[in-house]
């Protein structure tokens, strides 16, 4: 009896549904391979984060900028009932106008004072070194290069992306553009990330990101308020008592106020050195100005902001600044505070979720 074509074909080729020689049929081996794949993927992810840490920091800096723009847009919405796009445009125009005013009108004065600041600071440091040598504390020979190298070693390495003026400006432009795009349509990117998560985890993701956004907006609002109070207060006080380079001192104090703890110390040292360069009385006034400004910021602004945001322990923030500044350079130092705040919010949300899913234990009173 002749075989049909289908029967002959099935004998000539193996069944497509039959297991191949490369298929692992042992369940134990398959389970272990899946575990090994997960650990390998985690190791590759950690390695990628280490290699790409600088771009990741730039992205996070863009998120911080977006939070500030979004906070200004929300605040403006309380007074102007117009569309979000128009309010964001007003905030961006105000920010651009302030930067242009600083560059065009105050830029020349600040540039002249910046050229004088290095000479004044080095002269004061030479006086301190001479006083230390006269009192038997050793012969201290300090120059600009030595101080710069020590500061670079203390604060951390400056990476290639931020090591030059061109690189710093390029990174700043990228951060601003990224922050603007995120602020224009934040829900779009939030939905995109949530789409990649399991459906069961999306609600928790939305709640966590909402708390992170609220905390970051309030934290940055407090930072900007502190920068304005310290910068303007220092500038006006220096003008009133006759401390040299008042505009530059106000600008540096305001900018360094963005970095808690370390920024206040650096700005205070610069202010005192410049104050004593004009005389003992002016130096004492500089110390008084520094103490008054830091007291107002530490006992009025910071507690007021902490009530509306996550309350961060000063030692925790300082430890994070030292660690991230050493590992990641100046950008890690600037972003240490927001990173710690976001991490704390995420951990608090995780603790709440675990507590909600944990069954209540029966106590003796409930029996």
């Amino acid at each position: 009896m002749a075989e049909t074509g289908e029967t002959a074909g099935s004998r000539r080729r193996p069944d497509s549904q039959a297991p191949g020689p490369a298929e692992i049929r042992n369940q134990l081996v398959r389970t272990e391979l899946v575990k090994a794949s997960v650990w390998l993927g985690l190791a590759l992810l950690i390695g990628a984060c280490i290699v790409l840490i600088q771009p990741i920091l730039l992205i996070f800096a863009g998120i911080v900028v977006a939070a500030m723009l979004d906070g200004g847009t929300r605040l403006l919405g309380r007074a102007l009932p117009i569309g979000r796009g128009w309010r964001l445009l007003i905030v961006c125009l105000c920010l651009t106008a302030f930067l242009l005013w600083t560059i065009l009108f105050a830029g020349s004065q600040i540039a002249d004072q910046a050229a004088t600041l290095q000479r004044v600071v080095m002269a004061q440091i030479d006086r301190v070194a001479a006083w230390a040598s006269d009192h038997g504390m050793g012969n201290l020979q300090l120059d600009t290069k030595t101080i710069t190298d020590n500061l670079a070693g203390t604060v951390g390495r400056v990476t290639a992306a931020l090591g030059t003026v061109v690189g710093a400006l390029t990174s700043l432009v990228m951060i601003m553009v990224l922050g603007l795009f995120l602020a224009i349509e934040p829900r779009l990117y939030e939905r995109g990330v949530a789409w990649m998560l399991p459906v069961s985890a999306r609600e928790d993701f939305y709640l966590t990101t909402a708390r992170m956004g609220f905390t970051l907006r309030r934290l940055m609002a407090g930072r900007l308020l502190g920068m304005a109070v310290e910068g303007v207060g220092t500038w006006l006080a220096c003008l009133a008592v006759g401390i040299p380079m008042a505009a530059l001192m106000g600008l540096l104090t305001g900018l360094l106020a963005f970095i808690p703890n370390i920024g206040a110390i650096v700005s205070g040292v610069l202010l005192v050195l410049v104050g004593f360069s004009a005389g003992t009385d002016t130096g004492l006034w500089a110390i008084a100005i520094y103490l008054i400004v830091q007291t107002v910021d530490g006992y009025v602004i910071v507690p007021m902001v902490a009530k509306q945001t996550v309350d961060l322990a000063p030692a925790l923030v300082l430890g994070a600044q030292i660690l991230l500044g050493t590992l990641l350079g100046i950008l890690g130092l600037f972003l240490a505070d927001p990173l710690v705040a976001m991490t704390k919010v995420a951990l608090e949300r995780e603790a709440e979720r675990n507590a909600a899913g944990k069954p209540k234990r029966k106590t003796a009173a409930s029996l």
Side-chain angles (χ1 to χ4, degrees):
M1 183 177 178
E3 295 180 341
T4 61
E6 182 179 355
T7 305
S10 62
R11 290 182 178 180
R12 287 193 299 268
R13 64 176 182 271
D15 188 0
S16 59
Q17 302 299 327
E23 183 173 351
I24 300 175
R25 308 188 66 179
N26 190 311
Q27 185 63 31
L28 178 61
V29 176
R30 294 177 62 180
T31 303
E32 294 300 325
L33 281 178
V34 171
K35 293 181 180 179
S37 301
V38 172
W39 284 108
L40 179 61
L42 182 61
L44 292 176
L45 179 61
I46 295 174
C49 291
I50 294 175
V51 174
L52 301 175
I53 188 61
Q54 202 62 240
I56 292 174
L57 283 180
L58 292 179
I59 294 174
F60 184 75
I63 295 175
V64 173
V65 172
M68 290 189 286
L69 294 176
D70 184 56
T73 303
R74 291 170 181 261
L75 183 63
L76 189 60
R78 299 180 179 181
L80 293 178
I82 57 178
R84 173 184 169 81
W86 292 107
R87 287 184 276 122
L88 180 61
L89 178 61
I90 294 174
V91 172
C92 293
L93 290 177
C94 292
L95 178 61
T96 304
F98 173 75
L99 294 177
L100 289 177
W101 176 84
T102 304
I103 295 174
L104 295 178
F105 294 95
S108 58
Q109 180 183 4
I110 293 176
D112 295 337
Q113 293 181 0
T116 310
L117 178 63
Q118 180 180 352
R119 297 193 300 268
V120 172
V121 171
M122 291 307 303
Q124 293 298 97
I125 291 177
D126 290 338
R127 290 179 59 184
V128 173
W131 178 86
S133 300
D134 294 338
H135 288 76
M137 298 182 184
N139 187 14
L140 301 178
Q141 297 293 333
L142 298 177
D143 55 7
T144 305
K145 185 177 184 304
T146 303
I147 297 175
T148 303
D149 293 340
N150 290 333
L151 288 176
T154 302
V155 174
R157 62 182 178 86
V158 180
T159 56
L162 298 175
T164 62
V165 176
V166 176
L169 292 177
T170 303
S171 300
L172 182 60
V173 171
M174 292 173 59
I175 291 172
M176 298 301 296
V177 171
L178 181 60
L180 180 60
F181 284 157
L182 292 175
I184 291 175
E185 191 62 39
R187 299 295 181 186
L188 175 65
Y189 304 99
E190 186 181 21
R191 291 194 301 266
V193 175
W195 177 77
M196 296 185 291
L197 299 176
V199 177
S200 58
R202 292 179 184 177
E203 183 178 357
D204 183 70
F205 169 76
Y206 283 125
L207 181 58
T208 304
T209 53
R211 291 188 181 182
M212 284 184 172
F214 175 81
T215 301
L216 190 58
R217 287 194 299 271
R218 294 299 180 92
L219 183 66
M220 291 300 102
R223 287 288 176 266
L224 293 177
L225 179 61
M227 292 170 65
V229 170
E230 292 191 29
V232 175
T234 302
W235 171 51
L236 295 177
C238 290
L239 283 178
V241 300
I243 295 179
M245 296 174 283
L248 182 60
M249 288 296 98
L251 178 63
L252 291 178
T253 302
L255 292 177
L256 290 172
F258 187 84
I259 311 175
N261 305 320
I262 297 178
I265 297 173
V266 175
S267 62
V269 170
L270 292 176
L271 181 61
V272 171
L273 289 177
V274 172
F276 276 102
S277 67
T280 304
D281 294 339
T282 310
L284 295 177
W285 275 113
I287 295 176
I289 291 172
Y290 171 75
L291 293 178
I292 293 173
V293 169
Q294 294 303 320
T295 300
V296 171
D297 182 62
Y299 290 95
V300 178
I301 298 177
V302 172
M304 181 178 63
V305 174
K307 291 180 180 179
Q308 304 294 331
T309 59
V310 56
D311 192 7
L312 299 176
L316 178 63
V317 176
L318 181 58
Q321 289 173 345
I322 295 173
L323 180 62
L324 294 178
T326 303
L327 294 176
L328 306 176
I330 190 66
L331 192 57
L333 182 65
F334 270 89
L335 297 178
D337 197 20
L339 281 172
V340 172
M342 296 298 97
T343 303
K344 186 176 181 181
V345 171
L347 293 177
E348 289 177 347
R349 175 55 192 158
E350 182 67 18
E352 292 178 4
R353 190 172 63 86
N354 293 335
K358 184 178 180 180
K360 296 182 179 180
R361 296 182 179 179
K362 292 183 178 182
T363 60
S366 63
L367 295 177

